[in-house]
Amino acid sequence: MPPRHHQPEALLASLSTERGRSDRLTHTEQLPAREARYAPWPEGIRQEVVAAAAELGVLLPWAHQAEAMDLAAAGRTTVIATGTASGKSLGYLAPVLSELLTGTEARNGRGATALYLAPTKALAADQRRRAAELVPDRVRVALYDGDTPPQEREWVRQYASYVLTNPDMLHRGILPAHPRWSSFLKALKYVVIDECHTYRGVFGSHVAQVLRRLRRLCARYGASPTFLLASATTAEPAVTAQRLTGLPATAVTEDCSPRGPLVFALWEPPLTENVGEHGAPVRRSATAEAGYLLTDLVHDGTRTVVFVRSRRAAELVALQAQEQLGHPLAARVAAYRGGYLAEERRALERDLHTGRLLGLASTSALELGVDVSGLDAVLLAGYPGTRASLWQQAGRAGREGQGALAVLIARDDPLDTYLVHHPDALFATPVEATVLDPDNPHVLAPHLCAAAAELPLTDADLELFGPSSEPLLPVLERRGLLRRRSDGSWYWTRRERAVDGVDLRGSGGSPVQIVEADTGRLLGTVDAEAAHTTVHTGAVHLHQGRTYLVREFDLESSVALVSPANPPYTTSARDVTSISILSTDTTEEWGEAQLSFGSVEVVNQVVGYLRKRISTGEILGESKLDLPPRTLRTRAVWWSVTEDQLLDATIPFDQLPGAAHAAEHASIGLLPLFATCDRWDIGGVSVPLHPDTGLPTVFVYDGHSGGAGFAERGFHRAVVWLTATRDAIAACECDRGCPSCVQSPKCGNGNEPLDKAAAIRLLTTLLAHAPNRPDPADAPDAVGSPGASGTSGASDAPDAPDAPDAPDEGSTGPADGAADDATGDAAG
Ligand SMILES: [Zn+2]
Ligand SMILES: [Zn+2]
């Protein structure tokens, strides 16, 4: 019998009622256990693989694994989208390794090859280990990434039959050098794309084009590999797999692995004595609350992982629990974040497994890098951004035949607050689809160049690269990048490598290097797009749990010089933004109100920054900055109401800026619930009188050139999105606006003006005649009409991209709001 407290109900009672915290529990969901369902090994799976699986304790595959193996053997593009610990690896490895084994019997010993793509180097390294457990030595498995020594690379190209790499290396290293890979590509039977839900937004769109380049080269070498994808549970996995690969795909979604019962609790931290901006009430942070709960769980001997959203938070939670536990239990708590070595991760896995380690605070790096399951409890300090991640993290809890507890601890922001008070949005709503838009011309253009450099592009290739490619080619010719020869093919004309102009994970220029001023040590980089708001002179920069001050941001050389420091404040950039409509694709009439989707130009200039006290957010001072404006052409969703509607809603003109700004903030906060994006993917501008519309207008735009598909998703789901926005504001118990509803931690305008009550009336008016309809699927792009010139307004620039575990607390962000009448926030 497990100790009493390991029963999930008892665990939860011990955290809440027994410790006087019942009021923090907003909902408890009971998820029943699931029985395992097995199937026989499919015919094509080789005996060696079956025997190796038996060694590892797998006598029969689960039914979903067998289904995937059958589809793979039949050459069908297949995506396995099932839960954590459901054995997706075996589902694709068994057919792949069987084929490779058969290939070893060919005369050259390499009659079949396979390529494995992981989003991170660490994951590829893990997979190499896993593949090695399942196959005899004669299948030659090799990593090929930036760390592979030059002398090994030639061996990999000539002899390896299972090559594990990442999309960046495929893009930069393998495809441009395809003649040296010709024997590998000729024999290519399978391409495995692991964790494919991570290929979303602009990154996903880039990867989709890299895969099209791979398919084109394979075809030239006479190969037609089968694509096998593994995904977290997402909506419409087959649609995503098709967008990613360009091939019709079949999804395996019925999870037949066993699961113990799970108790899932929603938890809201208490209000504190502290007062935030404009006197707003402030709740205890999710990370501090997680530190208390972790302390109690470890004290009771419960194996627990806390998922947090930043490296700094991982360290803070572990430190807090260690201090509260004291000797000797403190030694059984650790932090984990990205950047650990494989051996360190193996040690953590082992220690959690054996119970030597009882508590671990981790960033989502753990989600991808470390194989832990079978925990008694999982705490999520803040909503991880998608329901797919939520279930992936919560899925770490529970051993076969034994119950487990998951707790989502709300952060003090509109989205988390909404979720812990609307459990249906988590438990009665399917997980979201992965959003990507490979047709984005900003993404496509450099890949057409890269493809032309690999092999001249012919008309026959254009179908592969999608409908946007044909009109783009003459544009690239005018820019002097491509030239059309008399045979009709397009050639790359430059000396430099075409692939060097494309960074799959960022866009808009070379990244800014962060250099320690005294030592010259390179600490890391930030995306060019985010640099103005995050590493401007005077910014507080966090790196691996240490705090630095930016001494100088050198735009010319793309370097930020920093020194270690310990200021009692964080910084928050203020910016001025104007937005103009370039073209409108679609407009819907909601009575007098209008909802539109189209192309916009956003001009943003960081003009200064605020220093805010760490504990309370109190503003300590403001400094000016002299940085040039930057222009972003992207896609946006926007809505406007008429003067009559404002009259009906009793919103006088002096309340309008605060109403629109507050509605904009909250809608940016809630969009991730509907569009699978993070705050940093999107920005917003609210304008009381926009010259292009002649009306009060609120814009929400994609923070990447050419758009990423998020604003489009917002347009198609506008009714539910804006209804949730209004409900979130209305339900908040504060009087005049707080971080849980309309305040934004990254507001470029210092959260001024904000009018919570008027925002509710404004959104109610907007929604009064909204169509009552189910969410339509994505509509194809329509052709828009040219729009008018720009105007300035309040804006919320997109946040600085956090890599899987960048800092989220105390990082700086762009500001919004240009003219006196406009306000905005930046994400960051
Ligand atoms: Zn509030
Ligand atoms: Zn704002």
Side-chain angles (χ1 to χ4, degrees):
M1 271 299 283
R4 181 188 70 98
H5 271 165
H6 289 172
Q7 297 298 333
E9 291 81 4
L11 274 180
L12 185 58
S14 125
L15 285 182
S16 55
T17 27
E18 291 174 23
R19 286 171 163 104
R21 300 171 179 146
S22 298
D23 56 334
R24 301 183 199 172
L25 196 59
T26 60
H27 179 80
T28 306
E29 187 84 8
Q30 310 275 349
L31 298 143
R34 184 177 58 214
E35 296 275 321
R37 211 151 57 69
Y38 297 93
W41 287 98
E43 250 173 47
I45 305 304
R46 301 252 315 198
Q47 209 42 53
E48 296 94 322
V49 175
V50 173
E55 288 277 290
L56 298 173
V58 178
L59 298 177
L60 278 179
W62 290 314
H64 65 276
Q65 292 173 315
E67 185 189 353
M69 293 174 200
D70 276 328
L71 287 163
R76 304 265 293 274
T77 303
T78 304
V79 54
I80 315 171
T82 52
T84 316
S86 63
K88 290 183 283 251
S89 301
L90 183 63
Y92 59 74
L93 271 176
V96 167
L97 296 175
S98 295
E99 182 76 29
L100 296 179
L101 271 169
T102 304
T104 61
E105 289 151 17
R107 204 164 345 132
N108 68 356
R110 195 164 71 155
T113 59
L115 184 69
Y116 168 94
L117 295 174
T120 64
K121 280 196 287 192
L123 187 60
D126 286 348
Q127 278 299 313
R128 179 198 196 175
R129 187 176 51 96
R130 238 155 260 174
E133 289 172 347
L134 270 177
V135 284
D137 291 342
R138 65 181 201 271
V139 172
R140 292 183 293 253
V141 182
L143 278 177
Y144 192 83
D145 60 29
D147 300 337
T148 309
Q151 60 275 23
E152 266 181 44
R153 295 188 177 200
E154 183 57 24
W155 183 89
V156 176
R157 286 191 288 263
Q158 294 303 322
Y159 300 106
S161 52
Y162 190 35
V163 173
L164 301 107
T165 186
N166 54 66
D168 313 77
M169 198 65 185
L170 179 62
H171 158 68
R172 245 176 237 283
I174 297 177
L175 297 179
H178 64 91
R180 300 160 80 184
W181 286 86
S182 60
S183 70
F184 178 86
L185 292 173
K186 264 181 204 152
L188 191 61
K189 296 290 190 295
Y190 286 108
V191 177
V192 175
I193 304 172
D194 206 359
E195 305 283 355
C196 71
H197 57 280
T198 58
Y199 302 128
R200 61 177 193 79
V202 170
F203 179 42
S205 305
H206 275 295
V207 172
Q209 292 300 345
V210 172
L211 294 175
R212 281 157 181 73
R213 282 163 49 204
L214 170 67
R215 286 177 49 209
R216 187 175 78 115
L217 291 176
C218 286
R220 295 296 168 97
Y221 288 108
S224 170
T226 298
F227 285 75
L228 305 179
L229 301 93
S231 169
T233 311
T234 62
E236 304 171 344
V239 174
T240 306
Q242 177 159 357
R243 275 198 168 191
L244 201 55
T245 61
L247 295 163
T250 306
V252 174
T253 55
E254 195 193 344
D255 194 333
C256 302
S257 63
R259 187 183 66 191
L262 182 71
V263 172
F264 205 133
L266 304 183
W267 189 279
E268 185 169 49
L271 285 168
T272 64
E273 309 273 279
N274 296 329
V275 176
E277 270 182 293
H278 310 299
V282 179
R283 289 189 184 276
R284 179 182 291 159
S285 75
T287 46
E289 186 78 346
Y292 286 110
L293 299 186
L294 179 63
T295 303
D296 295 342
L297 287 164
V298 168
H299 192 265
D300 292 348
T302 309
R303 263 177 241 182
T304 307
V305 166
V306 185
F307 285 105
V308 296
R309 297 203 55 185
S310 71
R311 294 179 173 202
R312 179 184 163 84
E315 287 168 9
L316 287 177
V317 169
L319 197 64
Q320 184 191 338
Q322 285 163 347
E323 280 173 2
Q324 287 161 2
L325 286 161
H327 182 74
L329 276 175
R332 300 179 72 182
V333 174
Y336 174 78
R337 53 175 170 69
Y340 279 34
L341 301 173
E343 307 84 79
E344 295 173 294
R345 285 184 284 124
R346 292 294 86 74
L348 285 173
E349 284 176 19
R350 211 170 37 240
D351 289 349
L352 265 177
H353 194 73
T354 60
R356 195 203 72 75
L357 204 56
L358 280 173
L360 187 68
S362 171
T363 62
S364 63
L366 187 61
E367 213 180 292
L368 294 178
V370 178
D371 183 24
V372 293
S373 51
L375 302 161
D376 301 314
V378 168
L379 306 177
L380 292 80
Y383 180 60
T386 60
R387 285 181 294 275
S389 295
L390 178 93
W391 290 114
Q392 192 161 20
Q393 296 182 352
R396 301 291 177 187
R399 279 171 259 183
E400 202 169 340
Q402 195 179 313
L405 173 69
V407 184
L408 171 64
I409 305 165
R411 297 206 293 188
D412 198 1
D413 69 33
L415 179 55
D416 283 24
T417 305
Y418 178 83
L419 289 173
V420 295
H421 290 285
H422 295 78
D424 279 359
L426 292 174
F427 300 114
T429 310
V431 292
E432 46 287 274
T434 307
V435 177
L436 66 148
D437 175 18
D439 291 333
N440 177 344
H442 293 265
V443 169
L444 177 57
H447 290 287
L448 287 176
C449 292
E454 282 150 14
L455 278 177
L457 271 172
T458 65
D459 287 344
D461 293 326
L462 298 187
E463 197 181 329
L464 181 66
F465 289 101
S468 306
S469 54
E470 195 177 344
L472 262 181
L473 290 170
V475 177
L476 297 172
E477 186 173 37
R478 282 199 296 278
R479 284 191 211 151
L481 298 170
L482 296 184
R483 186 185 306 141
R484 189 162 211 186
R485 297 255 174 95
S486 51
D487 64 358
S489 305
W490 300 86
Y491 287 76
W492 173 247
T493 60
R494 301 290 189 93
R495 264 170 194 283
E496 63 267 28
R497 286 170 18 120
V499 292
D500 289 342
V502 200
D503 176 3
L504 304 187
R505 294 170 199 258
S507 48
S510 52
V512 171
Q513 299 189 311
I514 300 162
V515 175
E516 202 170 37
D518 293 342
T519 61
R521 190 164 66 99
L522 177 66
L523 295 180
T525 60
V526 292
D527 224 45
E529 285 182 353
H532 286 220
T533 52
T534 57
V535 294
H536 57 77
T537 301
V540 173
H541 177 73
L542 297 173
H543 181 75
Q544 303 213 347
R546 300 189 62 185
T547 309
Y548 296 85
L549 262 182
V550 178
R551 300 296 171 195
E552 190 190 345
F553 174 36
D554 182 347
L555 268 175
E556 298 257 305
S557 55
S558 288
V559 166
L561 290 173
V562 304
S563 308
N566 216 352
Y569 58 84
T570 63
T571 50
S572 166
R574 300 196 64 160
D575 61 9
V576 176
T577 303
S578 64
I579 190 165
S580 52
I581 299 169
L582 299 173
S583 65
T584 305
D585 287 15
T586 324
T587 294
E588 278 184 13
E589 313 281 335
W590 291 3
E592 288 182 27
Q594 287 193 327
L595 175 81
S596 300
F597 171 69
S599 295
V600 296
E601 182 175 274
V602 183
V603 179
N604 175 271
Q605 183 174 19
V606 173
V607 295
Y609 63 96
L610 299 175
R611 293 182 304 281
K612 293 183 185 176
R613 191 184 295 284
I614 289 172
S615 50
T616 62
E618 181 195 343
I619 295 168
L620 302 173
E622 177 169 3
S623 306
K624 298 238 174 294
L625 290 168
D626 182 23
L627 287 164
R630 292 163 304 155
T631 299
L632 172 72
R633 288 190 170 209
T634 186
R635 311 281 275 163
V637 53
W638 63 91
W639 51 267
S640 50
V641 295
T642 62
E643 270 181 47
D644 284 350
Q645 288 181 300
L646 291 178
L647 276 177
D648 290 347
T650 57
I651 300 173
F653 200 79
D654 63 336
Q655 284 180 12
L656 178 59
H661 188 204
E664 177 221 318
H665 275 194
S667 72
I668 289 177
L670 270 292
L671 186 58
L673 193 54
F674 304 97
T676 324
C677 54
D678 282 322
R679 266 185 113 110
W680 50 264
D681 288 321
I682 46 180
V685 183
S686 54
V687 193
L689 184 63
H690 194 279
D692 294 345
T693 60
L695 295 168
T697 308
V698 173
F699 295 82
V700 173
Y701 60 87
D702 286 338
H704 301 277
S705 280
F710 306 126
E712 183 179 8
R713 191 53 72 110
F715 174 80
H716 290 301
R717 308 205 60 194
V719 178
V720 283
W721 165 39
L722 295 169
T723 302
T725 301
R726 182 195 55 194
D727 294 350
I729 303 173
C732 190
E733 48 192 292
C734 70
D735 295 329
R736 300 182 45 223
C738 73
S740 285
C741 57
V742 300
Q743 287 189 351
S744 162
K746 310 291 163 58
C747 183
N749 229 55
N751 279 311
E752 279 187 320
L754 290 176
D755 190 325
K756 175 180 169 177
I760 298 168
R761 297 201 299 278
L762 179 63
L763 287 164
T764 303
T765 300
L766 169 71
L767 289 160
H769 298 282
N772 190 6
R773 43 134 206 229
D775 290 342
D778 280 359
D781 282 358
V783 178
S785 56
S789 62
T791 176
S792 56
S795 75
D796 296 82
D799 256 351
D802 274 1
D805 44 29
D808 62 346
E809 287 167 292
S811 67
T812 57
D816 60 305
D820 290 347
D821 60 347
T823 40
D825 327 80

